[in-house]
Amino acid sequence: MTQQTWDELGGTLPSDQFRAASDAIVANIEEVIEGKTATVRLALAVLLAEGHLLIEDVPGVGKTKLAKALARSIDCSVRRIQFTPDLLPSDVTGVSVYNQETHDFEFKPGAVFANLVVGDEINRASPKTQSALLECMEERQVTVDGVTYELQTPFMVIATQNPIEMEGTYPLPEAQRDRFTARIAMGYPDPGAELAMLDVHGGRDPIHELRPVSDAATVRKLIATVRDVHVADAVKQYAVDLVTATRESPDLRLGASPRATLQLLRTARAVAALEGRDYVLPDDLQALAVPVLAHRVIPTADAQLARRTTDAIVSELVHRLALPHERQRSPYDTRPPSGDGTGRSQYEPRRR
Amino acid sequence: MRGRRHLGFVAAAATLLAAAPMSTIYDRWTWLVQCAVVVGLIAGAATLTRWWRAPVWAQGLSMVAALLLGLTWIFPSGQELVSLLPTPGTLTHFGSLLASSGEDMRSYGVPVQDLDSLLFITALGVGGVAIVVDLLTVGMRRPALAGLPMLAIYSVPVAVHVDSVSAVPFVIGAVGFLWLLAADNVDRVRHFGRRFTGDGRDVDVWEPSPLAAAGRRLAVIGVAVAVLLPLAVPGMTSGLLSQLGTGGGGEGNGRPGQGGSPGRVNLFAQLSGELNRSEQRDMVKVTTNDPDPFYLRFAVADDFGRTGFGPRSPEGAPVTQGLPDPRDMSREQNAGITRTQYQAEVEIVDFAMPFLPVYTAPVSTRNVDGNWRYDPTMQVLYSERASSRNKKYSFEFVRSEYTPAALAAAPQLAPEHAFRKLYTTVEPVREVEELVGRLTTGKRNDYDRVRAIYDHFSRKNGFSYALNTEGGTSGQDIVNFLTNKVGFCQQYAAAMTWLVREAGVPARVAFGFTSANRSSNTYTLTNNNLHAWTEVYFTGIGWVPFDPTPAASITGSWRSEWAPDPDAPEQSPTAPSASAGPTADPSAGAESPDGAERPLDEAFDGGAGIAPDSGPRWPLWVVAVAVLLVLLLTVPALRRVLLRRRRQVRAAAAASTLASVTADGDVPPGVARVVLSDSELARARADAHAAWDELVDTLVDFRVRVDPAETPRATADRLVREGLTAGTADEAVRLLGHAEERARYAREPLRHGPLADALRSVRRALSAGADRRTRLVAATLPPSVLYRWRLAAMDLSAGFVGFTGRFRDRLLRWSPRRVLANRPSR
Ligand SMILES: Nc1ncnc2c1ncn2[C@@H]1O[C@H](COP(=O)(O)OP(=O)(O)O)[C@@H](O)[C@H]1O
Ligand SMILES: [Mg+2]
């Protein structure tokens, strides 16, 4: 595992403390976001997996709210960038300005110099500005005028965006999308949650009363604990099988990158830890396949014509792909033959 | 359309080729010319109608019309219009041809001369086949089915010929069929357009496709199965092979259609045919050290049917497995029975039958191969395949003789004895019943009854011998004989058999040669020595011969103490036969006194012991095969049970050892956690895996879906969700899933889980939820075991195919064609 530590993470936490800390954050966020436990936990998992989160959904379902609530729950530096068409890359990364007094260039850090960066409506900025995030998201550093500045840990970008089909948007380039660990959709709250929302949020917005329940140091410890989660060889194999399947699928023009494999496993660790386990299950990978992989792959023209979303394609892959090392022991496959007839064998991993 | 026309001609040609076996029947080739004309006309008619795009039925009609025209032209009756168009007169002529063809078929032996009737039926048959083949091939595009009518042609020479026929004409016919198939296939492929290889090279229509390899493999397997299966299955050789093989029916017996297997020979017809021959020919030479041999016997007619007596299909083991010795079977009934062992050597000169003539009862043979079998009840040596033609063999036999007292002492046949049904059934005829009633009143035992009947056929009662009588043995024939009292051996034998059976005593007709033309110890037996006599079954003794034919008229007739000649003066019962026929050897037959060489031999139980337990051998086979089948069927269930037991034991042991480990760990105070060693971890893992595998197998057995893409947790959840664990086993199945996922993915496996109990409760819940059929199948033929076996077999065959493929590739590398062709590699 080639994981670079940007600075000391601190020791790991025993499981009960981990649970207490993580549960506190989730509960805190849930005070403002009604009925979205799974989404909230996933967002937290991405934070603990040292990844970046892309929240994509139609307007008005609480994307900004979630991002803000997560940022507020942790006592760390938070910056917010509202992406607009006229936003400049230097607004994001920072700029060197000439200081008259010191007769020298002085670096004025941009919005990314924080633990949590909330990038709202990211696809409203021009691709040029979007690309300013490329280096910092992957390498956690900013290079301006030849000088490289390190970012802090934890560092997480939480971006929100409207679906691509909406008007006045610039779709994120593939390279940019690939840097987001997971893309989650908010979805409409169910009627009960919406009723509760009306009761609680009817008067004033509870986000203003939200107090941080954790700090950067605790989050670093949580991250260290997550890194310690055990991944069996079979699970690693399964992760590789999964991304290989996306690369070999006839429905996909572009499969998932090795970065996706890495982040898939990392997020799976975080999810396992949040569930109180110290080992990753293939179930975790299966649950994460769509949020982690679907936004990185590109369907073929045929699949697009057939209106098959990448979400559907990826989840179908998950349903088809056999677990590794199963065949020697229990070779059965008594599933009814699939309707579309495009044999399941093409999703079988190519192993001898 | 061009392809179809072409196919039509191929069909016609294939029909002609398939008719090639007819050449073995005919002396000359007229039939072929006529058939070619007929088939050509039919093909022409078919082509014409197809050209007009007539519907299939119209094509058929036109072909029938062409056949009619052709036949009219070839076999004119003289009443045609313009000497071509058939009239009612023509049809009557055809009818008479047909009728006489039936007659002629029976009366002419192969190879036959050009008889109009036979030629007519041949042309008609081949023409009919041509029509059917054409319709099947071109009209319905089912050329494979066309093989059936072609096979019909095949069957004609097979049925007619009594011994093996040259295979060449059959091969020609088969080639015709293959041609038809290939032509149709090429035509089919053409419909798709032209064939190309991957690199765009045009492929010749005759070049096999890659699929051909699979086809070849299938064909090889099919042929192997077809050849091996009949060999492997006992008793199957008596089916098809016996039909194809040679049969009996000495040639020139005037009934060429009567050959075939031992059970089908018309013995009476052949007997009368041979006896009525004007010229005499040597058939068998036999040399024996028996100074006064009884008849050389070869066949038995023991089955009573509508047309009289006929042979049953014999059943028995190959002679190479040894013959039953009547001495071994002797019971308490041995007083008054003498038996002597002799030896004899037989050289067949001109006698073709599916039987080998022997003296009764043979106990060992030499130079008789495993094709020959011995029916211990019929006491005949027979073969389904081979013919006695030109055989030379020797055998030892046990000759038995009986005193009248011994026969008289034999008990009556038990009413429920199998022989009663087999050997005492006759058609009820009033005259016969009256006669038997009259003859046997006051007789107290079987022997007396049989003797009364036997003595009835005497000169005193007006019986005389004449060869030129009708030889039938049906009810009316026998009544005629009993009233006319003139006949020859087969009527005497059949009549006596009939009467004895009527009297309730088992009896049958035996066939053989009388002993004649003696020179030293060798007898040369001719067609005139063929003979038939009666054999009567006495309980505990066996089959005892009685020869009711007037001894004076039979060369070499042999009379015994228990059946003396009723015509002879009381004192010397054997004298008259000396003056028998012109070729009679005075010393051969009855000259020697009956009691002469009858010293203190042991008793002979002529087959009585054999009969009851040797006749029906097949039930044993059936039982054995059934037992084997049942055993085979239980193998999967057994395997499943063993597997389950092993895994259960594992799971149970796992729980206990782990418990003990924890207990041990608890002993030293302060040790909070027991650290298991690697091997213990591995064992705990394996135990959890075993439990899970067992669960999966159970699921498969109860036809619950098993999804290789599902994790243990998801599987357990699904089972609970779908209610398959019926609530009671929810916990158990979750535990199993948890144990398995821990074993697979966690640092440490689950360490104490009552996995065995969990397994049991899940199995119970699944079984309760399944329907009865599923439960039954799960218990008897567990799908999990079958599935695994099937997979293993598939892997094996895949491996084999891969291996042969590699092997062939390696060979191909050295193929000269490849070296020379120098075409761009793909
Ligand atoms: N699941 C939810 N729980 C609580 N409030 C919600 C939820 N979804 C939407 N809202 C409310 O809807 C409003 C719009 O939310 P916002 O985050 O600004 O939407 P977006 O950024 O997706 O356009 C907010 O006032 C928020 O309180
Ligand atoms: Mg918003």
Side-chain angles (χ1 to χ4, degrees), chain B residues 16 176 350 383 462 538 580 594:
Chain B
L16 276 184
D350 182 6
S383 172
F538 288 93
D594 283 320

Side-chain angles (χ1 to χ4, degrees), chain B residues 86-173:
Chain B
T87 55
T90 320
L91 293 184
T92 2
H93 174 57
F94 286 174
S96 67
L97 277 179
L98 265 184
S100 61
S101 72
E103 198 80 354
D104 291 343
M105 260 191 281
R106 250 171 281 129
S107 46
Y108 288 90
V110 284
V112 292
Q113 303 298 315
D114 287 344
L115 284 172
D116 250 5
S117 59
L118 295 183
L119 287 174
F120 172 77
I121 199 164
T122 307
L124 179 67
V126 172
V129 169
I131 293 175
V132 176
V133 167
D134 189 277
L135 286 179
L136 283 175
T137 314
V138 189
M140 296 163 61
R141 299 314 297 265
R142 292 268 183 284
L145 284 184
L148 289 179
M150 293 189 181
L151 209 59
I153 305 186
Y154 265 43
S155 63
V156 174
V158 168
V160 165
H161 270 271
V162 287
D163 32 49
S164 62
V165 197
S166 158
V168 177
F170 292 90
V171 172
I172 294 176

Side-chain angles (χ1 to χ4, degrees), chain A residues 32-63:
Chain A
V32 266
I33 304 291
E34 293 290 341
K36 289 281 157 206
T37 318
T39 316
V40 172
R41 290 182 83 87
L42 189 55
L44 180 60
V46 173
L47 170 67
L48 299 188
E50 303 162 84
H52 308 289
L53 184 64
L54 179 63
I55 309 174
E56 179 183 291
D57 216 327
V58 291
V61 288
K63 301 187 295 287

Side-chain angles (χ1 to χ4, degrees), chain B residues 712-725:
Chain B
R713 173 175 294 218
T715 306
D717 285 349
R718 173 167 58 87
L719 292 181
V720 172
R721 199 173 56 242
E722 291 177 359
L724 290 166
T725 45

Side-chain angles (χ1 to χ4, degrees), chain A residues 108-160:
Chain A
K108 252 184 115 269
V112 295
F113 286 86
N115 290 114
L116 286 176
V117 178
V118 178
D120 209 18
E121 309 278 348
I122 190 170
N123 57 345
R124 295 205 181 277
S126 64
K128 182 175 68 176
T129 314
Q130 290 170 355
S131 307
L133 283 169
L134 282 179
E135 184 188 3
C136 57
M137 280 174 76
E138 174 60 24
E139 297 165 51
R140 284 147 207 272
Q141 64 183 24
V142 174
T143 308
V144 176
D145 296 338
V147 187
T148 299
Y149 307 91
E150 294 260 318
L151 300 179
Q152 307 155 18
T153 295
F155 171 68
M156 181 188 191
V157 175
I158 309 173
T160 73

Side-chain angles (χ1 to χ4, degrees), chain A residues 228 279 283 323 329 332 334, chain B residues 693 697 706 708 711 747 788:
Chain A
D228 200 32
Y279 54 91
D283 304 77
L323 291 178
R329 283 180 39 218
Y332 314 107
T334 57
Chain B
D693 290 348
D697 279 2
V706 171
T711 62
R747 286 196 180 89
R788 269 172 199 273

